[in-house]
Amino acid sequence: MIANTPSPITGDLSLNQITAQQPRALEVFDRLGLDSCCGGAKSLALVCEKHQLDLDDVLRDLQALATR
C-alpha cells in the first residue's frame, strides 16, 4: 500500500494549490498581505516577486506550519 503524501510546497504552486494542501497557509498569506482569494491562481513565486518578498523566507514560513 502506497501512502498518499503531499507534494512539497514550491514557488511553482499557486496560492490556491498551497492552501488546498495546507489550509493553515492562510495564516502566512494573511500576515504577509497576500491575497489568496482574487490572486489565488497565481504562483507563489510570482506573488512574492510582485510584493517584493523573499521566496525562500516565505517557503520556510509555510514549511514550518507542518511542524507546529
Side-chain angles (χ1 to χ4, degrees):
M1 184 168 158
I2 299 173
N4 187 10
T5 57
S7 58
I9 295 175
T10 67
D12 295 330
L13 295 176
S14 71
L15 299 188
N16 289 340
Q17 291 171 310
I18 294 169
T19 303
Q21 182 176 323
Q22 174 55 267
R24 291 186 59 211
L26 289 174
E27 297 171 22
V28 174
F29 297 157
D30 288 344
R31 180 172 47 81
L32 297 173
L34 303 180
D35 181 8
S36 59
C37 178
C38 297
K42 295 177 182 158
S43 73
L44 179 62
L46 181 65
V47 172
C48 285
E49 182 180 328
K50 179 181 175 189
H51 289 271
Q52 298 179 339
L53 297 169
D54 184 271
L55 176 60
D56 290 332
D57 289 344
V58 177
L59 286 170
R60 267 191 293 279
D61 287 350
L62 291 169
Q63 291 160 353
L65 293 173
T67 61
R68 287 196 238 159

